[in-house]
Amino acid sequence: MRLRIIICALFSFFVFTKKTVGQNQRILDSLLNLSKTVNDTTKANLYNIIATLYAGNNNDKNKEYGYKIIEIGKKSGYEKYVALGNMKIGIYHYVNNQLDSSKFYYEKALALAIKNSRLNLESFIRQNLALIYVDQTNYEKAIEQDLMAMAIQEKLKNSFNVANLKSNIGIIYIKQKDMISAEKYIKDAILELQKNNVPGTFCYVYQNMGIIENYRGNFALSNTYYKKALLEYEIGANYSIMSDCLQNISLNFINLKMYDSANYYNRKANQLAKSTSNEMMQFLTFINFSTLNQRFFNKPKVSKSFIDSASKYTNVISLPEYRSVFLQEKALYNLVYGDKDLGYNLFDKYITLKDSIVSLENIESVKNMNSKYETEKKELQIKTQSVEIEAQEKQNKQKSLIILFGSLALVGSGFFGSLAFINFRKTKKANIIIENQKMEVELKNEEITHQKELVDEKQKEIIDSINYAKRIQQAVLTGEDVWNKVSKDHFILFKPKDIVSGDFYWAYNTPNNRSIFALADCTGHGVPGGFMSMLGNSFLNEIVVENKIFKANEILNKLRSKIIKALEQKGGTQQRDGMDISLCVWNKIDNSLEFAGANNPLWLLRNSVSSSGVESKELLEYKADKMPIGLYLETEIPFSSITIQLEKGDIIYLSTDGYADQFGGPKGKKLKYKSLIEMLVKNSVQSMETQKVILDKSFADWKDKQEQVDDVSVIGIRV
């Protein structure tokens, strides 16, 4: 039995979430078609994405596109692409465990990245070099590369990549059994991740904190971290590594002598390993099942069946450390229940194999100690020489100044010489173009190419602007501190279809003990929807916070007037932009709730008791007015409101139509409100955070390969 340490490494600029093979193939097909119509620089960037997608399941293709990127780089004179292509080929060799070849290509890429001041690329190459040094157990070199990569990411202010690198350094210290240093770096990584606080990104750091506490013998605390990691894996749908975490929990329960719990988590790990085709984890879980049934449940026949199941994984057993585990388990079974001679023979093989593994570890340990001794020896020599160097420096001060100015002159000459050479090359190239491309059609083609580059550049600027708009929208949306004052027991599921969302949520707590909150769905999604959402958010602040209007229907009437005025809506055939909204005013003094809605209803889930005394869950729907916030009829009809007396334990649910309208499932149909309501009722006994996780996962499972059709938002508040 063993703990699995999870290393989180980035092999390129692009980080992809978990996708199915079909999804990846669709993306690949689209990118390949697009690459046929774009210029070389755009094509190189597309090839980078294509190579990254291939790296996981077709490493040869990853190498092929690496060479294509190099070819574009040499043809265009952009060395950054030559560097990027070499890094891709380095990844190819690393995946094939050809470490020397991998290092050769990484170092070629690194030299070009440094030469061309490509900081991000340099950082990722150094991170990949660190992985090679880890595999070679040269931990000092690995940490050195990660620290240099981290310094770059800190300069670029990329807290996610800084966290990733700190976590990797922590893992290297775990491998050296230096848990104090490991804990420091991994906790620093957690602090970096908290700067962005993106759910699903904490899984690796929590799991490795669990490994540290396991090493210290703090098995209960270790499981606390593992369970935090499980929740993060669930959010990120990162099922391929989640089985490692489940198995580690199982091992902790064995140490805590809680064997039923150990069996339960090992079974979950086994099921997940099967569903993700993780042969190594399937093998380990079968070994654990055998151990539990042989030593703790006293079921030798069951133990034997699991050993037989584990024996089928010949690829895994061919690896020395896994073969030793298998030999030990089979030997112990035969010594107690089976053929003792076979047991002694297997145990002898186990001891021999274990000794050879330990010997290799000892050799590496001696190498590391010698390396440390040599380093300390060099440091001592440097200290001894420092006094002499100081004296020598004073004597040579004048010489140094002369050398310095001389060097600057040489560098300046070299610099201007380089400029002259570059200008010479440019002039020569221009002359060739003038002499050989005099035809009008060719000049026109050159102009078209230039225009395409401008379009590509503008497209990048637009995407950058939209990403910036997303950050602005996130800043405008009501923060968690306000929602915690509404109710500490709540959740907000918010999933934009595009980068920015047409849905928005808003809340305000008045000085006279009222909480006002709303969920709105604006016309459209993406950028147009995002503009409308920020407009609605601003108007609600003006109506409620500044003008102190606290009646639900009056708030909607005022909001409609402001939207119509702002959009200059005058009727006729023009597009009728606006929003659907559900808005609540919760008076906490008498525990009453006033609701007003424009197309979007309110759902109230309440515990009810029948005449026979049986408790059940009842979901009450309070319908909204069938008109939007915006121009609808020539004559405006005022919005109505309804007052509800709340009871302790009631749950208020608000939702836009995006969740129910999503296509998916086995027949590609809409999910519909009925399914959503059934899900809310079924899971209402769970904590609000768990309800959110279930809703999120259920949506992803239903959607599967389908495209998300609309922005999705659901709010739950427990009274």
Side-chain angles (χ1 to χ4, degrees):
M1 288 183 281
R2 64 195 290 274
L3 295 178
R4 295 268 304 226
I5 302 172
I6 305 301
I7 296 184
C8 177
L10 299 175
F11 285 117
S12 73
F13 292 119
F14 299 91
V15 182
F16 292 94
T17 54
K18 178 178 172 63
K19 291 183 173 69
T20 63
V21 174
Q23 285 174 306
N24 271 350
Q25 193 55 54
R26 282 215 319 268
I27 294 168
L28 280 167
D29 291 342
S30 299
L31 293 174
L32 288 167
N33 287 332
L34 184 59
S35 69
K36 296 172 184 176
T37 62
V38 296
N39 60 33
D40 280 350
T41 54
T42 306
K43 187 178 291 185
N45 290 322
L46 288 174
Y47 283 168
N48 177 37
I49 303 171
I50 292 166
T52 304
L53 284 168
Y54 273 128
N57 51 32
N58 190 337
N59 199 26
D60 289 334
K61 281 285 185 183
N62 175 42
K63 181 176 72 170
E64 177 188 327
Y65 279 93
Y67 279 116
K68 287 184 177 183
I69 295 168
I70 291 172
E71 186 182 341
I72 290 172
K74 288 179 177 178
K75 179 182 172 184
S76 64
Y78 288 129
E79 288 186 328
K80 67 177 181 180
Y81 293 122
V82 181
L84 185 60
N86 275 297
M87 188 178 79
K88 294 292 176 190
I89 298 166
I91 293 167
Y92 164 82
H93 288 293
Y94 181 82
V95 171
N96 286 342
N97 205 31
Q98 297 160 349
L99 301 186
D100 289 338
S101 297
S102 178
K103 187 179 175 187
F104 171 78
Y105 282 101
Y106 283 157
E107 287 176 343
K108 279 180 71 174
L110 182 62
L112 289 169
I114 294 169
K115 178 185 172 185
N116 290 274
S117 301
R118 311 305 297 186
L119 293 178
N120 223 9
L121 182 57
E122 179 190 342
S123 173
F124 288 124
I125 296 166
R126 290 193 184 281
Q127 189 173 353
N128 289 351
L129 273 170
L131 293 176
I132 291 177
Y133 287 126
V134 167
D135 285 353
Q136 294 173 338
T137 66
N138 190 342
Y139 299 128
E140 189 178 342
K141 278 280 190 184
I143 291 171
E144 179 185 307
Q145 290 296 329
D146 275 338
L147 285 172
M148 285 193 279
M150 190 170 75
I152 292 170
Q153 293 300 336
E154 285 173 338
K155 184 177 179 181
L156 297 173
K157 296 182 179 178
N158 190 325
S159 55
F160 179 80
N161 288 348
V162 171
N164 182 48
L165 286 154
K166 285 186 174 181
S167 177
N168 283 0
I169 293 169
I171 290 158
I172 295 168
Y173 280 118
I174 289 175
K175 286 177 174 289
Q176 297 178 89
K177 298 181 172 54
D178 180 354
M179 297 302 163
I180 294 172
S181 299
E183 182 180 25
K184 176 191 176 299
Y185 274 98
I186 289 173
K187 284 192 171 178
D188 282 352
I190 292 171
L191 291 174
E192 290 292 335
L193 289 171
Q194 285 171 347
K195 290 178 183 177
N196 294 318
N197 201 26
V198 178
T201 59
F202 293 79
C203 46
Y204 300 108
V205 286
Y206 284 148
Q207 179 152 344
N208 289 319
M209 277 303 299
I211 288 167
I212 290 169
E213 295 303 336
N214 172 277
Y215 181 84
R216 291 168 172 167
N218 301 328
F219 303 118
L221 180 56
S222 175
N223 269 356
T224 300
Y225 279 114
Y226 285 145
K227 286 176 181 176
K228 282 185 176 183
L230 277 182
L231 185 59
E232 292 289 311
Y233 282 128
E234 193 75 40
I235 292 168
N238 198 343
Y239 304 120
S240 59
I241 303 176
M242 193 172 167
S243 54
D244 295 78
C245 192
L246 288 163
Q247 199 223 11
N248 287 354
I249 293 173
S250 174
L251 297 177
N252 273 339
F253 276 124
I254 290 175
N255 286 312
L256 291 166
K257 296 182 171 55
M258 299 170 68
Y259 304 121
D260 287 333
S261 296
N263 198 50
Y264 170 76
Y265 278 97
N266 195 63
R267 186 165 62 251
K268 289 184 74 173
N270 178 265
Q271 290 166 350
L272 198 55
K274 283 181 182 175
S275 67
T276 56
S277 303
N278 186 338
E279 289 194 356
M280 196 174 288
M281 187 50 59
Q282 288 178 68
F283 168 80
L284 289 172
T285 52
F286 283 133
I287 293 293
N288 287 353
F289 277 134
S290 172
T291 300
L292 286 162
N293 283 282
Q294 183 186 155
R295 295 171 217 174
F296 307 119
F297 299 147
N298 195 25
K299 295 180 178 178
K301 288 184 179 179
V302 177
S303 173
K304 175 68 166 56
S305 70
F306 283 122
I307 291 171
D308 291 342
S309 296
S311 68
K312 295 173 184 175
Y313 295 93
T314 52
N315 289 337
V316 178
I317 294 171
S318 66
L319 301 171
E321 60 177 309
Y322 294 101
R323 181 163 179 77
S324 70
V325 170
F326 179 72
L327 289 171
Q328 180 190 32
E329 189 64 26
K330 194 169 181 180
L332 289 171
Y333 170 81
N334 279 284
L335 287 169
V336 178
Y337 299 107
D339 183 340
K340 283 187 169 50
D341 289 336
L342 176 60
Y344 285 124
N345 181 264
L346 289 168
F347 201 76
D348 185 54
K349 287 181 179 179
Y350 159 71
I351 293 296
T352 304
L353 182 59
K354 195 71 177 172
D355 285 345
S356 68
I357 293 170
V358 171
S359 296
L360 287 171
E361 290 175 352
N362 287 340
I363 290 166
E364 294 302 332
S365 177
V366 169
K367 280 183 185 176
N368 290 333
M369 287 175 70
N370 285 336
S371 175
K372 186 178 179 184
Y373 167 73
E374 288 298 325
T375 303
E376 289 173 354
K377 183 178 172 184
K378 285 175 184 175
E379 286 174 356
L380 185 61
Q381 288 172 348
I382 290 165
K383 286 178 183 176
T384 306
Q385 293 167 1
S386 63
V387 177
E388 295 176 21
I389 291 167
E390 246 180 75
Q392 190 67 34
E393 280 179 351
K394 286 179 183 177
Q395 292 176 13
N396 293 336
K397 190 175 180 182
Q398 285 297 113
K399 291 179 182 177
S400 297
L401 286 170
I402 294 166
I403 291 167
L404 174 63
F405 286 121
S407 298
L408 287 172
L410 284 171
V411 170
S413 300
F415 174 74
F416 288 114
S418 298
L419 282 180
F421 179 69
I422 290 166
N423 286 332
F424 168 75
R425 286 181 64 189
K426 284 182 178 177
T427 305
K428 188 176 179 182
K429 186 177 179 182
N431 288 335
I432 292 168
I433 291 169
I434 291 167
E435 289 170 9
N436 297 295
Q437 298 182 346
K438 291 181 179 179
M439 292 178 67
E440 186 179 348
V441 174
E442 289 177 315
L443 288 171
K444 198 70 178 174
N445 286 340
E446 186 178 332
E447 183 183 346
I448 291 166
T449 302
H450 176 65
Q451 290 298 324
K452 193 164 184 60
E453 286 175 354
L454 287 176
V455 170
D456 291 338
E457 186 179 340
K458 289 296 178 187
Q459 186 179 22
K460 183 182 181 301
E461 287 175 5
I462 290 165
I463 292 170
D464 289 345
S465 297
I466 295 170
N467 281 319
Y468 188 68
K470 177 187 177 183
R471 295 213 302 273
I472 294 170
Q473 185 180 50
Q474 287 173 335
V476 168
L477 291 170
T478 306
E480 194 66 13
D481 55 336
V482 177
W483 284 100
N484 281 331
K485 288 178 183 176
V486 175
S487 172
K488 288 186 178 178
D489 207 5
H490 75 276
F491 73 79
I492 299 173
L493 178 65
F494 187 67
K495 297 174 72 67
K497 177 189 184 296
D498 300 312
I499 298 171
V500 289
S501 176
D503 288 2
F504 74 94
Y505 50 87
W506 177 91
Y508 174 67
N509 295 288
T510 71
N512 61 347
N513 215 14
R514 284 180 171 84
S515 290
I516 304 172
F517 52 92
L519 179 62
D521 180 0
C522 301
T523 304
H525 43 74
V527 174
F531 281 126
M532 281 294 295
S533 73
M534 285 189 274
L535 196 64
N537 200 303
S538 175
F539 285 153
L540 282 174
N541 284 327
E542 184 182 334
I543 294 162
V544 179
V545 182
E546 294 178 22
N547 298 336
K548 295 183 170 43
I549 297 173
F550 301 149
K551 287 281 293 174
N553 58 334
E554 289 181 21
I555 294 169
L556 295 195
N557 289 331
K558 288 282 185 185
L559 181 60
R560 176 170 59 187
S561 297
K562 287 185 175 294
I563 290 289
I564 290 172
K565 185 178 178 182
L567 300 179
E568 297 182 348
Q569 294 178 333
K570 297 174 184 175
T573 58
Q574 64 176 327
Q575 185 179 351
R576 297 183 175 184
D577 297 314
M579 66 186 71
D580 298 335
I581 190 170
S582 43
L583 184 138
C584 301
V585 180
W586 180 8
N587 187 337
K588 294 184 178 178
I589 297 171
D590 61 6
N591 207 27
S592 64
L593 184 82
E594 185 187 7
F595 165 71
N599 287 326
N600 285 357
L602 174 144
W603 296 321
L604 184 72
L605 192 135
R606 175 169 291 171
N607 293 326
S608 62
V609 182
S610 67
S611 56
S612 60
V614 178
E615 286 192 10
S616 62
K617 302 286 182 185
E618 181 184 10
L619 191 134
L620 307 170
E621 180 174 340
Y622 295 91
K623 295 188 180 296
D625 291 317
K626 292 294 180 184
M627 52 186 176
I629 300 292
L631 192 65
Y632 178 61
L633 299 171
E634 294 299 327
T635 305
E636 287 184 12
I637 301 171
F639 284 98
S640 60
S641 66
I642 184 169
T643 301
I644 308 159
Q645 188 59 48
L646 298 175
E647 296 177 7
K648 188 175 181 181
D650 285 350
I651 304 178
I652 301 159
Y653 290 112
L654 307 177
S655 176
T656 60
D657 59 5
Y659 200 112
D661 286 349
Q662 179 60 46
F663 289 97
K667 296 182 179 179
K669 293 185 176 181
K670 280 188 180 182
L671 188 140
K672 295 187 179 178
Y673 281 106
K674 183 182 176 184
S675 299
L676 174 57
I677 290 168
E678 286 173 355
M679 205 182 309
L680 293 174
V681 174
K682 178 183 175 183
N683 297 301
S684 60
V685 294
Q686 304 289 342
S687 70
M688 301 307 280
E689 186 58 37
T690 304
Q691 288 187 48
K692 177 184 174 180
V693 172
I694 293 169
L695 281 171
D696 197 10
K697 184 178 183 303
S698 299
F699 181 81
D701 290 344
W702 176 263
K703 180 170 73 72
D704 194 22
K705 299 175 185 178
Q706 299 276 1
E707 183 183 352
Q708 185 173 330
V709 298
D710 198 0
D711 301 313
V712 171
S713 303
V714 183
I715 294 176
I717 298 171
R718 199 188 298 272
V719 177

